[in-house]
Coordinates of all heavy atoms in Angstrom, one line a residue:
Chain H
F325 N -46.1 -15.7 -23.2 CA -46.3 -16.9 -22.3 C -47.6 -17.6 -22.7 O -47.6 -18.8 -22.8 CB -46.4 -16.4 -20.9 CG -46.5 -17.4 -19.8 CD1 -45.4 -18.3 -19.7 CD2 -47.6 -17.5 -19.0 CE1 -45.5 -19.3 -18.7 CE2 -47.6 -18.5 -18.0 CZ -46.6 -19.4 -17.9
R326 N -48.6 -16.8 -23.0 CA -49.9 -17.3 -23.4 C -49.7 -18.2 -24.7 O -50.2 -19.2 -24.8 CB -50.9 -16.2 -23.6 CG -51.8 -16.0 -22.4 CD -53.0 -15.2 -22.8 NE -53.6 -14.6 -21.7 CZ -54.3 -13.5 -21.7 NH1 -54.4 -12.9 -22.9 NH2 -54.8 -13.0 -20.6
G327 N -48.9 -17.6 -25.6 CA -48.7 -18.2 -26.9 C -48.1 -19.6 -26.6 O -48.5 -20.6 -27.2
K328 N -47.1 -19.6 -25.7 CA -46.4 -20.8 -25.4 C -47.4 -21.8 -24.8 O -47.4 -23.0 -25.2 CB -45.3 -20.6 -24.3 CG -44.0 -20.3 -24.9 CD -42.9 -20.2 -23.8 CE -41.7 -19.5 -24.3 NZ -40.9 -19.1 -23.2
L329 N -48.2 -21.4 -23.9 CA -49.2 -22.2 -23.3 C -50.1 -22.9 -24.4 O -50.4 -24.1 -24.4 CB -50.1 -21.5 -22.2 CG -49.5 -21.3 -20.9 CD1 -50.5 -20.7 -20.0 CD2 -49.1 -22.7 -20.3
A330 N -50.6 -21.9 -25.2 CA -51.5 -22.4 -26.3 C -50.8 -23.4 -27.2 O -51.3 -24.4 -27.5 CB -51.9 -21.1 -27.2
G331 N -49.5 -23.1 -27.5 CA -48.7 -24.0 -28.3 C -48.6 -25.4 -27.6 O -48.9 -26.4 -28.3
R332 N -48.4 -25.4 -26.3 CA -48.3 -26.6 -25.6 C -49.6 -27.4 -25.6 O -49.6 -28.6 -25.8 CB -47.9 -26.3 -24.1 CG -46.4 -26.7 -23.9 CD -46.1 -26.4 -22.4 NE -44.8 -25.7 -22.3 CZ -44.4 -25.1 -21.2 NH1 -45.2 -25.1 -20.2 NH2 -43.3 -24.5 -21.2
S333 N -50.7 -26.6 -25.3 CA -51.9 -27.4 -25.2 C -52.3 -28.0 -26.6 O -52.8 -29.1 -26.7 CB -53.0 -26.5 -24.8 OG -53.1 -25.4 -25.6
S334 N -51.9 -27.2 -27.7 CA -52.3 -27.8 -29.0 C -51.4 -29.0 -29.3 O -51.8 -30.0 -29.9 CB -52.1 -26.7 -30.1 OG -50.7 -26.3 -30.1
E335 N -50.1 -28.9 -28.8 CA -49.2 -30.1 -28.9 C -49.9 -31.3 -28.2 O -49.8 -32.4 -28.8 CB -47.9 -29.8 -28.3 CG -46.9 -29.2 -29.3 CD -45.6 -28.7 -28.6 OE1 -45.3 -29.3 -27.5 OE2 -45.0 -27.8 -29.1
R336 N -50.3 -31.0 -27.0 CA -50.9 -32.1 -26.3 C -52.1 -32.7 -27.0 O -52.3 -34.0 -27.1 CB -51.4 -31.6 -24.9 CG -50.4 -32.0 -23.8 CD -50.9 -31.5 -22.5 NE -49.9 -30.9 -21.7 CZ -50.0 -30.1 -20.7 NH1 -51.2 -29.7 -20.4 NH2 -49.0 -29.6 -20.1
A337 N -52.9 -31.8 -27.6 CA -54.1 -32.3 -28.3 C -53.7 -33.2 -29.5 O -54.3 -34.2 -29.7 CB -54.9 -31.1 -28.8
D338 N -52.5 -32.8 -30.0 CA -52.1 -33.7 -31.1 C -51.7 -35.0 -30.6 O -51.9 -36.0 -31.2 CB -50.8 -33.1 -31.8 CG -51.1 -31.8 -32.6 OD1 -52.3 -31.7 -32.9 OD2 -50.2 -31.0 -32.8

Side-chain angles (χ1 to χ4, degrees):
Chain H
F325 187 62
R326 266 195 200 154
K328 265 185 203 164
L329 278 185
R332 255 182 224 164
S333 56
S334 63
E335 271 169 26
R336 261 181 221 160
D338 289 340

